[in-house]
Amino acid sequence: MEAYLVAMLVFAGFYALMALGLNVIWGLTGMVNLGLVGFFGLGAYASALLTTKAGLPMPLGWLSGATIAAIAGGIMALIVARLRGDYLAIVTLGFAEVIRLVASNEIWLTNGTDGISGIPGPWRGLVTPQQFNLIFLGIVWTAVAVGFYLLSRASHSPFGRVLRAIREDEDVAAVAGKPVLWFKVRAFVTGAAVLGAAGALYAHYNAFIAPESFAPLLTIYIVLALTAGGVGSMRGAIIGAIFLIALIEGTRFIAAEIPGVTPVQKAALREGAIALTLILLLRFRPQGLIPERTRTKA
């Protein structure tokens, strides 16, 4: 049971990093990004390939995963920055699907649907699985702490205030003399880098990645986590990720204890319980568990 709880906390850390990245792009800047899993997958594949085929050490692999995702985020921002609402959501969702299809079909590079195995992890094989989980728990939550600190400082800086102005009305921000496109690109690059870092860490924790690891459902989970925690709030992104993991895994245990129902019915009950809980939360606390707070001074 202890090993299971540690593993769930590790995954909560991945979710928290992804929610922090989404919060920069959507929460602060107001750009709807449904391509989260694409940047997450880019970071995972980049780090996995560079460490298994090019022999780079893991820290450089993690940094490379974040950098490649950031570059992709900058290119994506230049393409979609002038799109709004549903159009932006559709294009970013399409980007994630393109990444997944490339990973599935470019066998020479990604090994296709067979995936990449044998991805190294810190001290894997030298310590017990329980110790490895604890080591990675420390690594992931250190990354969350660093990301939270840096992004919180940025969100309360002049840079963050401009992003909020763009979120509220980008035309007004442009009239005020702010280079809206440049700020959108910076926001996308920052958020994508965090998403790529999360993917790189995930690859080295799981030791195996395949295209099905990056299904659109993961994007939905992260959007729900940020929405439940509080859009625009860095603390809310982390609390929302922990809340969502607890909700998903808690309903799994509850459904398993219900007698006389089939596995399919149990899965349906779980999904219904998760949906009902989130609906009630957003009905009675639409601002999320930790609402966004702004400062009047930097």
Side-chain angles (χ1 to χ4, degrees):
M1 185 63 176
E2 180 184 347
Y4 171 78
L5 290 176
V6 171
M8 288 304 100
L9 285 174
V10 172
F11 275 91
F14 295 143
Y15 278 35
L17 276 175
M18 294 184 71
L20 286 170
L22 175 62
N23 202 30
V24 177
I25 300 171
W26 176 40
L28 295 183
T29 319
M31 294 186 291
V32 181
N33 180 8
L34 296 183
L36 308 180
V37 75
F39 298 111
F40 183 75
L42 267 179
Y45 271 102
S47 187
L49 290 169
L50 289 171
T51 53
T52 57
K53 294 188 176 182
L56 286 185
M58 277 181 286
L60 283 181
W62 299 340
L63 179 61
S64 299
T67 302
I68 290 172
I71 293 171
I75 296 171
M76 172 64 66
L78 291 173
I79 296 172
V80 306
R82 291 183 174 84
L83 300 177
R84 302 185 187 182
D86 296 341
Y87 299 103
L88 177 58
I90 292 170
V91 172
T92 53
L93 180 62
F95 162 78
E97 277 299 289
V98 167
I99 296 298
R100 190 180 65 82
L101 290 173
V102 169
S104 297
N105 292 288
E106 298 300 321
I107 299 174
W108 65 274
L109 179 64
T110 65
N111 206 29
T113 55
D114 290 336
I116 301 173
S117 59
I119 303 170
W123 297 287
R124 180 184 280 121
L126 301 178
V127 297
T128 66
Q130 292 81 2
Q131 290 172 329
F132 175 77
N133 279 346
L134 288 172
I135 290 170
F136 222 96
L137 179 66
I139 292 173
V140 169
W141 280 98
T142 297
V144 172
V146 171
F148 171 76
Y149 174 76
L150 295 177
L151 294 178
S152 293
R153 291 290 300 271
S155 71
H156 294 299
S157 69
F159 171 70
R161 290 196 290 272
V162 173
L163 294 186
R164 289 188 178 89
I166 293 171
R167 177 188 67 190
E168 299 303 323
D169 193 325
E170 66 178 75
D171 294 329
V172 172
V175 170
K178 304 300 181 183
V180 172
L181 178 60
W182 171 233
F183 275 93
K184 283 186 174 183
V185 170
R186 289 171 65 187
F188 233 104
V189 167
T190 302
V194 178
L195 292 163
L201 289 172
Y202 167 79
H204 290 270
Y205 175 71
N206 207 47
F208 171 79
I209 56 173
E212 60 265 23
S213 305
F214 310 104
L217 181 62
L218 181 57
T219 292
I220 296 172
Y221 279 158
I222 303 307
V223 171
L224 289 174
L226 182 58
T227 304
V231 178
S233 168
M234 295 300 170
R235 290 187 302 157
I238 296 174
I239 296 300
I242 296 172
F243 171 78
L244 185 66
I245 286 289
L247 181 60
I248 292 172
E249 296 305 316
T251 53
R252 189 190 307 277
F253 281 108
I254 294 172
E257 295 300 320
I258 299 175
V261 294
T262 66
V264 173
Q265 291 171 329
K266 288 180 180 180
L269 288 172
R270 280 189 64 231
E271 293 171 1
I274 292 170
L276 179 60
T277 302
L278 292 171
I279 289 170
L280 290 174
L281 171 65
L282 297 178
R283 170 65 179 82
F284 293 103
R285 196 171 178 83
Q287 72 274 32
L289 295 170
I290 310 291
E292 178 184 13
R293 294 179 181 177
T294 58
R295 299 175 185 173
T296 56
K297 295 182 181 182

